[in-house]
Amino acid sequence: MAETTGKRKADHIRICLEQKAQAKKVTAGFEDIQLVHRALPEIDRQKINLSTSFLGKKFSAPLIVGAMTGGTEEATKINATIAEAVEKLGLGMGVGSQRAAIEDKRLEKTYSIARKKAPTAFLIANVGGVQLVNGFGLKEVKKAVEMIDADALAVHLNAVQEALQPEGQTNFQGILTKIGEIAGELDKPVIVKETGCGISAEDTKVLEAAGVKAIDVSGVGGTSFAAVEYYRSTNPHNKGEVFWDWGIPTVISLIEATQTAKIPVIASGGVRSGIDIAKSLALNAKLASISQPILEVAVKGAKQTEDLLSMFLTELRNVMFFVGAENLESLAKVPLVVSGKTTEWLNIRGFDTISYSQRSTLPVEY
Ligand SMILES: Cc1cc2nc3c(=O)[nH]c(=O)nc-3n(C[C@H](O)[C@H](O)[C@H](O)COP(=O)(O)O)c2cc1C
């Protein structure tokens, strides 16, 4: 079993690096969000403060690298490289699904390298929600947490991937109860994340009630696991191409979740620039998370990884300057305009898109 999991992880890395496993016809929706430029920002760019806190831990900036890998030698290097970069920048990271190492102790070091290289950064352990239905309990998730001395556990939801992959597990019955049990028993906060198809308001609501401490929407617009499985598929009846862009676009999912839950929400799925990060935070995300673009630089080295992450943070700082937001609290209050497919969807679903445009942070009376 662990061997198959290792092969699958290697396939995922190869496909995400070599092939275009990104959403094709549907975007994350960031083009529907416009921040209102301030010709009179009335702040000093040098004094902009990007720091934040998330689940009780301080971050130098509101950015994490999303869960990707572990279980293979190549994954060890990738996790080490990302860990080194996030440690230096005061960010956080998730490791990929730890099922392989929970089942085969020899693979633990492919994940634990992250803590070795990032002694103080916020690290997120990772297990599949469907694993909780299929036998994983408190003992296994504790093992995942201890393996990397994690600050939190992410439970990932991936119905599309499981349905399309040859070795997929498709019984999700009772998954919410299992997540609630783990959230109640584990001594670390549980984050629930999707894997590229988004999380609706309805699901956010029940997850929050079940005791989950944060939601990572991982919506449509970036990496598509239907696409990944399309490249891996050998089953002519289940190639998955029609599901390439299936799900809720990231920005829509983010707005549904933030308007529903009190717990912090992470924006991910096609976040590709500091502008996307700024828009996410202005839409009340607590953090943004980026995966695939970081994989591309992580295979090159820690310096390249640090450079790309730093570039995103510089872009974020610039946007904050242009909208006159000196810190993240102000950024969460700047006016923005929601339009296009995002407005259409949200209006039909009964969410508010107008009040964002009526916010004001003007320091001067006009
Ligand atoms: C190569 C690769 C492997 C991934 N493996 C996992 C995983 O094991 N567990 C998980 O929760 N998410 C996994 N993801 C999903 C990401 O955490 C993220 O939700 C998704 O890629 C969307 O972000 P992006 O568009 O920035 O890539 C993986 C993504 C990539 C690119």
Side-chain angles (χ1 to χ4, degrees):
M1 178 71 85
E3 200 172 298
T4 339
T5 314
K7 161 89 169 57
R8 186 165 66 238
K9 284 280 149 196
D11 280 352
H12 289 167
I13 294 174
R14 179 180 53 78
I15 291 166
C16 288
L17 280 174
E18 290 171 10
Q19 316 233 19
K20 286 277 160 246
Q22 299 292 296
K24 251 195 303 213
K25 294 185 186 141
V26 179
T27 66
F30 288 108
E31 72 282 4
D32 288 346
I33 307 299
Q34 301 303 326
L35 295 164
V36 180
H37 176 72
R38 296 296 318 281
L40 298 169
E42 287 287 355
I43 59 167
D44 177 353
R45 185 184 177 282
Q46 299 297 333
K47 291 189 186 147
I48 290 173
N49 181 357
L50 298 184
S51 72
T52 190
S53 66
F54 175 71
L55 298 178
K57 184 127 173 177
K58 214 169 156 10
F59 282 59
S60 300
L63 181 60
I64 59 171
V65 177
M68 279 190 282
T69 200
T72 66
E73 205 170 303
E74 189 187 15
T76 314
K77 285 191 206 135
I78 294 169
N79 278 337
T81 301
I82 297 171
E84 221 173 284
V86 300
E87 177 74 16
K88 206 156 170 197
L89 296 172
L91 311 177
M93 73 176 275
V95 295
S97 170
Q98 289 165 270
R99 179 179 159 197
I102 291 168
E103 289 168 352
D104 181 351
K105 211 175 156 38
R106 290 170 301 175
L107 298 176
E108 284 186 1
K109 57 183 185 304
T110 69
Y111 298 89
S112 59
I113 186 80
R115 180 51 87 202
K116 211 165 153 192
K117 297 283 179 182
T120 68
F122 191 91
L123 295 191
I124 308 170
N126 191 290
V127 296
V130 74
Q131 306 309 323
L132 303 178
V133 180
N134 286 284
F136 275 16
L138 186 62
K139 185 170 148 239
E140 286 77 17
V141 300
K142 268 191 156 167
K143 217 163 151 183
V145 167
E146 282 161 14
M147 199 183 299
I148 63 165
D149 185 19
D151 298 284
L153 170 78
V155 175
H156 71 257
L157 302 175
N158 62 343
V160 167
Q161 184 186 17
E162 297 289 348
L164 297 177
Q165 69 185 10
E167 62 279 63
Q169 291 177 301
T170 51
N171 180 7
F172 275 55
Q173 249 175 351
I175 193 164
L176 178 64
T177 306
K178 294 285 182 192
I179 291 172
E181 282 168 16
I182 294 299
E185 292 165 0
L186 191 68
D187 57 355
K188 297 284 174 185
V190 169
I191 302 168
V192 169
K193 74 183 287 293
E194 238 292 340
T195 45
C197 297
I199 298 183
S200 67
E202 292 86 339
D203 288 338
T204 299
K205 196 167 178 179
V206 291
L207 286 166
E208 181 175 42
V212 165
K213 294 291 186 292
I215 297 284
D216 178 344
V217 298
S218 189
V220 178
T223 302
S224 157
F225 268 89
V228 172
E229 297 307 334
Y230 166 79
Y231 290 117
R232 293 183 68 229
S233 175
T234 49
N235 179 353
H237 305 300
N238 197 16
K239 290 282 285 176
E241 199 174 2
V242 293
F243 297 108
W244 200 288
D245 294 318
W246 176 270
I248 311 170
T250 296
V251 168
I252 292 174
S253 186
L254 175 62
I255 294 176
E256 288 211 3
T258 50
Q259 287 191 18
T260 305
K262 290 194 180 70
I263 53 174
V265 179
I266 303 172
S268 74
V271 174
R272 296 293 179 260
S273 71
I275 302 181
D276 293 348
I277 299 171
K279 288 177 178 177
S280 300
L281 299 167
L283 287 168
N284 304 113
K286 188 72 183 161
L287 299 177
S289 169
I290 304 180
S291 294
Q292 196 275 346
I294 306 300
L295 180 64
E296 283 189 14
V297 285
V299 292
K300 295 182 184 151
K303 168 85 173 71
Q304 286 87 339
T305 308
E306 194 193 323
D307 282 349
L308 184 65
L309 288 166
S310 300
M311 185 184 88
F312 290 143
L313 297 180
T314 304
E315 290 168 354
L316 169 62
R317 187 180 294 274
N318 282 337
V319 177
M320 289 172 70
F321 180 44
F322 306 151
V323 298
E326 204 164 30
N327 52 45
L328 299 178
E329 289 73 44
S330 308
L331 182 59
K333 291 183 197 138
V334 297
L336 54 83
V337 177
V338 185
S339 64
K341 76 169 183 214
T342 303
T343 312
E344 200 179 326
W345 171 304
L346 291 165
N347 287 350
I348 292 169
R349 295 262 291 157
F351 291 92
D352 164 35
T353 50
I354 295 297
S355 65
Y356 298 108
S357 67
Q358 292 162 348
R359 295 157 158 185
S360 175
T361 51
L362 302 181
V364 180
E365 286 298 324
Y366 284 83

